[in-house]
Amino acid sequence: MENNTMIQFHCETIRREYQLVGQSLTANFPNGFPDAALQIQSQFAERRHEITNAKDQEVLFSPYMCNGIFATYFACLEVDDLILIPHGMIGFKLPTVVFGSILSNRNLLL
């Protein structure tokens, strides 16, 4: 008997800003990728509990900036405000932009 998988996607557009607190790491690009991104995420995982005003401790944001030579990778949590920033971390605001979001629900058809 053959199992078929059907995946349904729900797409939405979100217009909002984000306030983030976390850590960053800069590395050569592209040679430092994905190792640098994985390294900062691992380091941050050990410290994310220090961000007491996080909206959700389980949702990790990983923005990056790249100029083609170097890239800075971030591991962050969304916060209510940028007042409480633990030592050695940074806080910043991503300006209001339009994001596309795709959510999937997987249904199995037998």
Side-chain angles (χ1 to χ4, degrees), residues 20 33 37 41 48 79 93 95 98:
L20 304 174
F33 183 80
Q41 290 176 6
R48 69 183 179 186
V79 294
K93 187 182 292 188
V98 176

Side-chain angles (χ1 to χ4, degrees), residues 72-83:
T72 301
Y73 303 98
F74 298 87
C76 308
L77 296 177
E78 186 177 13
V79 294
D80 294 318
D81 56 57
L82 296 173
I83 296 171

Side-chain angles (χ1 to χ4, degrees), residues 89-108:
M89 293 191 188
I90 58 171
F92 60 98
K93 187 182 292 188
L94 292 179
T96 300
V97 294
V98 176
F99 297 92
S101 176
I102 298 175
L103 307 172
S104 71
N105 294 321
R106 177 173 264 183
N107 298 315
L108 295 177

